[in-house]
Amino acid sequence: MPVEPDKNLLNGLNTGVSIVRYPGNVIEWVNEHLITMCGAHTAEDLTKHRAIEFYANPKAQEQGRRLVERILRQGHGALREMPFRRIDGRLIYVDMSGEKLPTPDTQNNDDGRILWTLIDVTQRHRLNNRLSRQALLDPLTNLANRRAFDEAFDRALQRTKRQHRMLSIVILDLDGFKLVNDKFGHEAGDHVLKTVSQRLLANIRQTDFVARLGGDEFVMLIDDGQNREATTTLMEKLDHAIREPILLPNGTPTQIGVSIGIRVHDSAENSAPGILLRHADQALYTNKTHKADRVQAWAFYNETIPHRRNPFQQLLQQSALVVHYQPILDNRQRKIVGIEALARLQDNTGKLWVPGEFLPRLQTSDLFELSKQVMHQALHDLSELDGMGWQLWVSINIDPRAVSENCSACIHGLIEQFHIAPERICVEILETGEFKERDTGLSRLMELKELGIQLALDDVGSAYSSLLRIKEMPIDKIKLDQDFVRFLEQNPQDIHFIESVLDLAINKKMDLVVEGVETGQILDAVSVLGVNLIQGYAVARPMPLTQLREFLMREPDIKHRQHPITLFGLYAKQTHFHHLLRAVLLQNPRLLTAEHLRNTQLCPIHNDINRLQFHDGHPLHILHENYHRAMAQTVTDLADGTDIPDTNHIDAVNAQMEEALLQVMRQ
Ligand code: C2E
Ligand code: MG
Ligand code: MG
């Protein structure tokens, strides 16, 4: 136990100190710092009060009383962040610790004096408070987060049980959010999430609860009272509110939708919170699969989803399918070797709807039906073409989601029916969809392969998974995404993509089909690069069977071409040659001789420039000669002992030549 304290010393301290006598809570003495800390001017301002009066609330008073008891018994004790009321009424938080002072005149444990040390920790308390609030809030939307939801869910379930009420667990997932995010950027995506959060908050009652689970997923707890009608009304309101246009920060208006899954919990049942949430999630998932034909945005767990077939689904059912075929050219054989079957739906006005218009309105089950019908028609037409002497292969598009269990059996049946050799059938898997579960997806594809049919990966480069899929799947053909091809004249540097994918295809022993070959110039360029299978408007547009027969009879005007025939083709050739020469120069320069390089006449590009009617002395010839001279010089330098070839120089001379070709082409 300390001896009587030195008050002079205590007055100099930077913490509050007081001496209080018990029972009675009589403040005997306070130091200077405590006077300021408590908002007082003189010691008397404090000593005229009883110590217990400074606690901010009854709970704190009770804690303080128990602490005093403990200190008087044990000699010391402390409490953290106790709320104190200053004499000016302000609330502060204080870490307090007490030491019992010697009281020789009494043996009673309730009597005694305590030396208190008090530190103002109001700032720290506020900071802690803010942090723990943040731990429960989603920083973007300021809605409750997953953790806060878990706590609220437990409380709500207990309340429901006590009050014999019903509780709806509602999961909401935005439709079309990813599109906004991808198209307009994350700032726009964030804006949408914040707006939706405000709209959700504005539409629920005080007794309901909403949290953001992450991404574009929200969860709500709705107090249903005795029936679920309230929930249905609320869902209508929410759906409507979310669909209202949203003005993005860049001024563009946008609109998104929502899918909702609901699990109604009855106070009598005993399901765990995790199960209830999973049920709501299942309802959401089933609901999403009916996005194309459902009549409302929400669905209850374990109930059939009210839906209505949309006009495209009806057309599909009514055999309104028309298959068009787009020829695929084999550049080496210079003839059409295959066709791609492309679906169209014809309505009763005769209008042909293209996939871009009807695919988004079809369900997964419809997609399977579509591919089945297309394949039936295509194999039928193929055997007809066979009869006329054209042995072509046919490509059929299948959405990965439609590669189901009975896919393989179905294709097998059709192969038998039409007596078509399976290797003449190629299934194109679209990159746009994902397999539901990768492993099952893969084993289904293996089943297809076992039938002997070919597999192609379509639109490679349009999604992120291409390379992974090429690595994992038993692919025979890849089709480069048209976006790399259709705009090639505007983006000539995309030639490098085609070169690289072609390399990949060759190394992986796959065929490469380049589609989107819209113009003669692109056809020329990809031919020069060594692409063999070509599809696009420059060869032919998709057409009905009757037209295809005429087209095949006419023999397309591609027989005896020598590429390049256009300046763009020449550009591609220069790019390609430079790429190859540069690689040899870096890897094995001894294969190159300065003498041969200097002789421009030996280079096929020299003849190409002549063939394209640019005679000696034309700047293109001069630049071409410069290029060869630079190459020859680099090889000479290497022979003379230079360690590393000066690629900067030859790249620059090549760039001049390429630029000139593009300029002449654009004149
Ligand atoms: P895809 O499989 O990549 O088919 C090529 C699409 O590009 C076709 O459009 C074709 O008309 C178009 N096209 C071909 N050459 C050129 C060209 O040089 N320039 C331009 N601008 N376009 C060209 P279509 O017929 O509208 O088909 C679009 C997509 O719809 C197809 O892309 C395919 O993903 C899907 N699709 C078509 N038929 C079916 C089907 O039966 N089932 C499924 N699941 N999807 C299909
Ligand atoms: Mg395709
Ligand atoms: Mg494609």
Side-chain angles (χ1 to χ4, degrees):
M1 226 177 263
V3 289
E4 191 62 18
D6 176 345
K7 292 187 179 149
N8 272 337
L9 194 79
L10 295 181
N11 252 336
L13 288 184
N14 235 348
T15 44
V17 180
S18 68
I19 298 174
V20 182
R21 185 155 37 85
Y22 300 91
N25 278 285
V26 181
I27 306 174
E28 286 185 351
W29 182 82
V30 292
N31 76 345
E32 296 290 331
H33 190 84
L34 191 65
I35 297 172
T36 346
M37 208 173 112
C38 291
H41 298 291
T42 64
E44 229 238 306
D45 290 343
L46 300 181
T47 53
K48 69 182 181 195
H49 293 278
R50 293 193 321 138
I52 197 134
E53 289 170 29
F54 285 88
Y55 292 110
N57 56 48
K59 187 177 159 211
Q61 277 179 358
E62 179 55 27
Q63 282 176 298
R65 207 180 49 71
R66 269 196 255 124
L67 177 66
V68 168
E69 272 175 25
R70 198 162 71 236
I71 297 172
L72 291 179
R73 231 180 7 253
Q74 298 172 351
H76 50 82
L79 277 174
R80 284 164 63 87
E81 299 202 9
M82 291 292 285
F84 268 50
R85 188 70 68 192
R86 296 187 357 156
I87 59 170
D88 58 5
R90 254 177 61 197
L91 183 68
I92 57 171
Y93 288 84
V94 172
D95 279 357
M96 53 193 293
S97 66
E99 294 272 340
K100 187 174 175 182
L101 290 175
T103 42
D105 51 331
T106 172
Q107 293 304 310
N108 187 340
N109 255 350
D110 290 345
D111 290 0
R113 290 158 80 226
I114 296 179
L115 175 77
W116 290 106
T117 313
L118 304 129
I119 302 170
D120 184 344
V121 293
T122 312
Q123 297 284 8
R124 186 187 75 199
H125 175 83
R126 293 217 178 104
L127 186 70
N128 282 346
N129 230 359
R130 202 174 324 136
L131 288 176
S132 62
R133 220 175 326 129
Q134 276 168 4
L136 295 174
L137 282 189
D138 168 49
L140 176 71
T141 61
N142 260 338
L143 290 185
N145 65 11
R146 175 74 199 227
R147 207 173 117 195
F149 168 75
D150 288 340
E151 288 173 15
F153 197 9
D154 280 338
R155 284 197 303 272
L157 286 173
Q158 282 162 18
R159 198 175 51 239
T160 313
K161 199 162 212 96
R162 267 197 322 272
Q163 302 175 346
H164 303 288
R165 296 168 77 87
M166 286 159 79
L167 178 75
S168 282
I169 299 101
V170 180
I171 298 189
L172 304 95
D173 188 289
L174 302 184
D175 293 336
F177 173 74
K178 195 176 167 302
L179 216 68
V180 176
N181 218 23
D182 289 353
K183 190 159 168 209
F184 299 106
H186 289 289
E187 202 196 334
D190 286 353
H191 180 76
V192 167
L193 291 174
K194 282 194 251 182
T195 310
V196 168
S197 303
Q198 284 156 9
R199 291 180 185 177
L200 293 178
L201 274 178
N203 280 285
I204 58 171
R205 295 162 304 181
Q206 283 281 319
T207 45
D208 301 332
F209 180 87
V210 59
R212 179 177 170 222
L213 286 182
D216 59 349
E217 209 172 63
F218 299 86
V219 63
M220 282 183 169
L221 298 170
I222 310 291
D223 180 350
D224 275 322
Q226 313 301 337
N227 63 57
R228 69 179 208 190
E229 237 160 71
T231 301
T232 314
T233 318
L234 180 60
M235 293 308 117
E236 258 164 31
K237 241 166 71 179
L238 291 178
D239 178 35
H240 192 76
I242 293 173
R243 262 171 229 287
E244 286 284 310
I246 297 176
L247 201 62
L248 296 179
N250 70 0
T252 323
T254 188
Q255 199 178 15
I256 50 158
V258 64
S259 296
I260 305 175
I262 309 169
R263 167 66 154 91
V264 182
H265 166 71
D266 187 307
S267 63
E269 67 170 316
N270 250 338
S271 302
I275 305 249
L276 294 171
L277 202 60
R278 201 169 339 125
H279 287 170
D281 218 25
Q282 277 170 20
L284 172 72
Y285 180 76
T286 327
N287 188 17
K288 271 202 173 265
T289 61
H290 272 285
K291 218 156 62 182
D293 60 357
R294 68 185 185 207
V295 297
Q296 61 195 33
W298 62 93
F300 287 92
Y301 171 68
N302 244 354
E303 290 179 17
T304 46
I305 292 172
H307 61 281
R308 179 185 315 125
R309 306 218 125 241
N310 67 41
F312 293 122
Q313 292 178 305
Q314 287 169 13
L315 283 178
L316 190 65
Q317 287 303 312
Q318 294 155 5
S319 313
L321 174 81
V322 174
V323 181
H324 280 194
Y325 298 100
Q326 188 173 28
I328 297 167
L329 170 76
D330 181 317
N331 222 359
R332 250 163 253 141
Q333 300 185 51
R334 298 269 157 89
K335 67 174 199 192
I336 302 299
V337 288
I339 46 180
E340 177 170 6
L342 294 160
R344 277 90 182 94
L345 288 176
Q346 187 161 37
D347 66 17
N348 52 14
T349 69
K351 178 176 160 61
L352 275 184
W353 296 86
V354 291
E357 292 162 320
F358 63 76
L359 286 179
R361 306 292 317 278
L362 297 185
Q363 291 290 121
T364 308
S365 53
D366 303 321
L367 289 173
F368 178 59
E369 176 60 28
L370 175 73
S371 291
K372 212 163 78 181
Q373 289 190 23
V374 171
M375 187 165 298
H376 187 277
Q377 184 67 48
L379 294 196
H380 171 272
D381 292 348
L382 204 63
S383 53
E384 188 181 319
L385 290 171
D386 277 354
M388 306 174 79
W390 285 294
Q391 279 264 326
L392 305 177
W393 48 261
V394 67
S395 257
I396 284 138
N397 294 283
I398 295 193
D399 190 293
R401 286 169 295 166
V403 182
S404 62
E405 274 165 79
N406 34 13
C407 212
S408 151
C410 170
I411 297 179
H412 181 70
L414 289 172
I415 289 174
E416 300 266 284
Q417 183 181 348
F418 292 104
H419 304 292
I420 300 281
E423 61 272 14
R424 290 175 59 205
I425 303 170
C426 177
V427 164
E428 292 190 8
I429 302 290
L430 302 174
E431 256 237 336
T432 43
E434 255 304 342
F435 286 100
K436 257 191 223 133
E437 295 152 58
R438 266 241 297 271
D439 290 345
T440 16
L442 215 80
S443 62
R444 302 256 157 83
L445 287 184
M446 292 310 286
E447 280 170 31
L448 296 187
K449 278 293 300 176
E450 276 158 25
L451 293 177
I453 66 174
Q454 301 254 311
L455 281 185
L457 191 60
D458 202 357
D459 298 350
V460 165
S462 63
Y464 298 111
S465 53
S466 302
L467 288 178
L468 193 62
R469 286 194 176 176
I470 290 173
K471 188 168 122 68
E472 286 181 346
M473 300 186 352
I475 301 283
D476 303 288
K477 276 194 188 69
I478 49 179
K479 300 186 83 171
L480 182 62
D481 183 39
Q482 296 192 18
D483 279 358
F484 292 104
V485 184
R486 268 163 46 205
F487 313 104
L488 204 58
E489 289 136 304
Q490 293 89 305
N491 309 323
Q493 66 283 1
D494 281 359
I495 281 181
H496 299 301
F497 281 104
I498 302 178
E499 277 184 315
S500 308
V501 177
L502 184 61
D503 276 348
L504 179 71
I506 292 170
N507 290 326
K508 293 279 296 171
K509 302 199 169 31
M510 301 177 292
D511 284 329
L512 170 70
V513 182
V514 170
E515 57 180 341
V517 177
E518 264 186 15
T519 65
Q521 301 209 84
I522 303 177
L523 178 62
D524 196 29
V526 295
S527 305
V528 160
L529 296 180
V531 172
N532 190 32
L533 296 172
I534 296 181
Q535 181 181 355
Y537 294 172
V539 178
R541 291 187 175 241
M543 56 188 107
L545 182 71
T546 41
Q547 236 169 293
L548 178 70
R549 279 195 304 245
E550 288 164 24
F551 175 83
L552 290 171
M553 262 183 310
R554 251 190 284 125
E555 272 298 339
D557 136 52
I558 41 176
K559 268 266 174 230
H560 305 292
R561 277 186 197 156
Q562 186 185 6
H563 295 285
I565 51 170
T566 68
L567 276 166
F568 192 57
L570 187 57
Y571 168 89
K573 191 159 175 177
Q574 173 67 28
T575 306
H576 191 49
F577 270 32
H578 176 59
H579 187 166
L580 297 176
L581 269 181
R582 197 181 188 283
V584 178
L585 190 66
L586 287 173
Q587 302 292 328
N588 198 348
R590 277 189 224 157
L591 292 177
L592 302 171
T593 69
E595 187 195 344
H596 283 149
L597 278 172
R598 213 170 280 116
N599 186 354
T600 327
Q601 311 272 332
L602 290 179
C603 174
I605 289 187
H606 175 81
N607 295 334
D608 294 331
I609 301 177
N610 276 335
R611 195 157 36 80
L612 293 175
Q613 315 283 321
F614 299 100
H615 297 296
D616 285 351
H618 188 275
L620 284 181
H621 275 299
I622 296 172
L623 286 166
H624 184 231
E625 275 153 24
N626 282 350
Y627 175 80
H628 276 266
R629 216 170 299 128
M631 268 292 177
Q633 188 57 49
T634 314
V635 170
T636 311
D637 291 347
L638 281 174
D640 291 348
T642 311
D643 290 341
I644 306 160
D646 182 2
T647 45
N648 284 340
H649 179 55
I650 54 167
D651 285 346
V653 181
N654 173 60
Q656 280 174 8
M657 166 96 190
E658 287 185 3
E659 194 45 47
L661 280 164
L662 291 178
Q663 260 183 31
V664 180
M665 177 183 119
R666 284 171 185 153
Q667 269 163 19

